[in-house]
Amino acid sequence: MEEYRQEIIIGAVIVYMVFCVLTGLWAMRRTHSASDFFIAGRGLGPIVVSLAIFSSTLSGFGFVGGPGLVYSIGVSSFWMVVISSIGYAVCFFLVAKRIRMIAELRDCISLPDIVAARYGSEAVRFMIAVTIVLGVMGYLATQILAMALVMQAILSGTEMFADVGLITCVAISSAVLIFYCVTGGIIASVYTDVVQGTIMIVAGFLILVTAANVFDGGMQEATSIILSDDAETIMPYGAAGIMASLGWFFVFGLGLAGQPHIITKLMMNKNISDNRSMLPLSLFGYAMAALLWISIGIVMRAAVLDGVIEPLALPDDAASVFLSVFTNPFLAGIVFAGLFAAIMSTSDAFLNIGTAALIHDIPKAIKGQSVENELFWARIVTVLLAVLSAGFALYSHFQDATLVAILGAFGWGTFAASIFPVVAVGLNWKGASAAGAVTAIASALLINFVSQLAGYTFPYGVSGQLVAFVSSMVLFIGVSLITRKPVLEPDINRVLDI
Amino acid sequence: MALILLTICLSETVPDAEGKPHALFAGLQIGGDGAARLEHIGFFGFMFQSLLMVQIVLLSILGVAERYRTNKFLIYMVSALAFMLLIGWQMFSAHLEYLSSNETGYFLGFPNATAWATYGTWLSAIPLVLIYSLGFRKFIYTKEDEKKFNELLAEKASRQE
């Protein structure tokens, strides 16, 4: 069986991609309007939405970058994962009910629609839409590049495709992604998310079992090896130290409620009362899938320190080397399919919100109305956005890596800093004003951009993202308090009372 | 919390507080002297962590309509906060204990302090999840709320006709 390892892995990935294409074709029949395309007509059940929420949360970064971070800096990066229970809880307490109510009451199809309704301000809509477009470009480019690099790594292990180029891999992986997103919109995305989420849960559990058996003494032997080399790495704050870890606690814990691709999903469930089961279901799924993040990183670091395997060329190789050295081919096939699932489930969510921002929100903020025939333009812009991001990813890879890095800064941390106060706090505090919202978004973008461009670092590993988040919260509350108390529209006022 | 952050940024620094490269293996970082790294900011770091937990619970309370913030609900939330703070303290104190003794026990594969961080932090929000899910019809979205919202939708529908 070992001699067919590459063929088994490629087979698993092909089966998965064929499934995505078929789902796109099936979902196309159910997509009749822009509302269907962007928010599935608010008709999804709790299990579907829950799996979509958690699989969108765990991107390719969780499968590739996550284990690499644990390998490199130890327990520090656990703080991006173990706070997920807190993150989901805060997200549901603050956002889930009211975003769903406003979506139905005002027929909102995007997050900027929600904030425009809440603040009665096109300026806030515009700022949120621009933030989303900037973030989406960076995120999508990195996801497409990651997908292509993994595909190239898999194919290059075979004789037939040994010389396959990166551009070909970008074309193949983007084509599948574009096909099901264009044909089936968000309906295709969430139903592929169901399978993607299931694959990730299975992969996470099986990897944990495999990782626990790499050393005779199980995980305890692995952590003991790390402890004897450098105790701080395996202590609670890891090699990066206390403030880097707590920064991630803050940005990833609270910031989950500010991620547009996640909270947009909270507008899609059929019944508001589904929220009660969606919270534990999303959390369970994420916890299971994230086992992979932690267990691979720990075992790979211990294996290198103990001389079981050679040091890795790059920390991001941790997952792929683990799969090729320690797992049987079938498990490797499932996990590689899971990796594509993680990347695609996040990418399709970003394509969806980015398209909505471009054809619906920015025109509405500028001209007072969105484009005519939204469904048609949604499909066109989805293709253009994906092609642009793919081109951007390739340009960055071959010419100038700083571009994606800069827009990459407009990722999780910027979304958290700019959207959390405006949405999560603003939906629960009548005193929040449009001026406060605009100030918070502008400061978050500015601090993140400047700290990224200038390469400025704060002492003790305090991150620019944490400074941006704390600053935007302080400014949001402060400016709202000193500006005139906003007059809410009657229906929004009543929603905020419920 | 902003003030604590400022204090930390202005505190006396120690070399390699945010880690340094491993002497033998490229790509690996190490933390080095744990006691030195916490010497000037350990207390502030723990305060920041504790205040973050307080903020999380306060924000969760903000997400519940004022009329449902009953004594019973607040007792649940304060208990949830106490549970989170207890886990945070167990983790921090177990870490300090290791730094002073260089000895540790293990729990489910991890040194005690890290087990508190890994399993404990994950579990620390479970009371919040339970309050939300089990108390959904009492505190989050009651039948009365549902009725009010349906009235709003009906008014909207009648305006559109």
Side-chain angles (χ1 to χ4, degrees), chain A residues 434-446:
Chain A
V438 169
T439 311
I441 298 167
S443 68
L445 295 178
L446 193 70

Side-chain angles (χ1 to χ4, degrees), chain B residues 6-98:
Chain B
L6 191 64
T7 308
I8 288 169
C9 287
L10 297 175
S11 296
E12 190 180 332
T13 54
V14 295
D16 306 317
E18 55 269 26
K20 60 183 177 182
H22 197 286
L24 300 176
F25 302 104
L28 295 188
Q29 294 278 315
I30 59 168
D33 187 344
R37 298 204 303 170
L38 290 179
E39 186 183 351
H40 303 296
I41 62 153
F43 170 75
F44 295 115
F46 181 67
M47 283 300 291
F48 187 84
Q49 185 174 349
S50 303
L51 284 176
L52 180 51
M53 291 172 183
V54 172
Q55 188 185 6
I56 283 160
V57 173
L58 288 178
L59 283 168
S60 301
I61 293 172
L62 180 71
V64 173
E66 218 169 314
R67 63 187 171 284
Y68 299 132
R69 294 176 201 159
T70 58
N71 285 343
K72 193 176 179 182
F73 172 74
L74 291 175
I75 287 170
Y76 288 154
M77 295 305 273
V78 170
S79 306
L81 173 61
F83 184 60
M84 290 172 91
L85 290 172
L86 176 74
I87 286 174
W89 171 247
Q90 289 290 347
M91 182 197 78
F92 193 72
S93 60
H95 186 201
L96 293 182
E97 200 178 307
Y98 174 78

Side-chain angles (χ1 to χ4, degrees), chain A residues 229-417:
Chain A
D229 176 66
D230 173 56
E232 275 296 277
T233 305
I234 199 68
M235 280 292 138
Y237 303 114
I242 185 168
M243 290 316 296
S245 300
L246 294 180
W248 284 325
F249 185 171
F250 198 108
V251 173
F252 280 78
L254 287 184
L256 195 137
Q259 302 305 309
H261 59 301
I262 296 169
I263 56 179
T264 302
K265 299 268 183 347
L266 295 169
M267 296 158 61
M268 297 176 188
N269 47 315
K270 194 171 183 181
N271 301 308
I272 295 174
S273 55
D274 290 342
N275 287 341
R276 69 189 306 181
S277 53
M278 280 159 48
L279 170 57
L281 283 171
S282 304
L283 180 56
F284 170 77
Y286 186 88
M288 292 299 292
L291 292 171
L292 179 148
W293 176 318
I294 290 175
S295 53
I296 288 182
I298 289 292
V299 165
M300 288 303 290
R301 183 168 179 124
V304 166
L305 291 173
D306 205 36
V308 177
I309 57 171
E310 292 291 312
L312 305 179
L314 293 168
D316 282 353
D317 293 339
S320 57
V321 172
F322 178 89
L323 291 173
S324 60
V325 174
F326 296 119
T327 64
N328 77 45
F330 283 108
L331 177 55
I334 291 172
V335 177
F336 272 112
L339 169 59
F340 277 91
I343 295 173
M344 284 188 167
S345 60
T346 307
S347 303
D348 60 33
F350 278 116
L351 264 181
N352 193 268
I353 60 168
T355 301
L358 284 169
I359 68 151
H360 181 77
D361 295 303
I362 292 178
K364 225 171 175 176
I366 295 171
K367 296 192 303 180
Q369 60 182 38
S370 57
V371 298
E372 284 180 25
N373 198 353
E374 276 192 327
L375 182 57
F376 170 77
W377 284 109
R379 288 185 161 132
I380 299 290
V381 171
T382 300
V383 176
L384 292 177
L385 194 56
V387 170
L388 191 65
S389 298
F392 188 51
L394 284 171
Y395 175 78
S396 162
H397 184 75
F398 290 116
Q399 298 292 330
D400 183 3
T402 56
L403 272 177
V404 163
I406 289 170
L407 278 189
F410 281 90
W412 187 285
T414 307
F415 282 150

Side-chain angles (χ1 to χ4, degrees), chain A residues 211-230:
Chain A
N213 288 299
V214 167
F215 291 96
D216 292 338
M219 200 57 91
Q220 185 170 323
E221 186 178 340
T223 56
S224 301
I225 291 166
I226 298 172
L227 185 88
S228 59
D229 176 66
D230 173 56

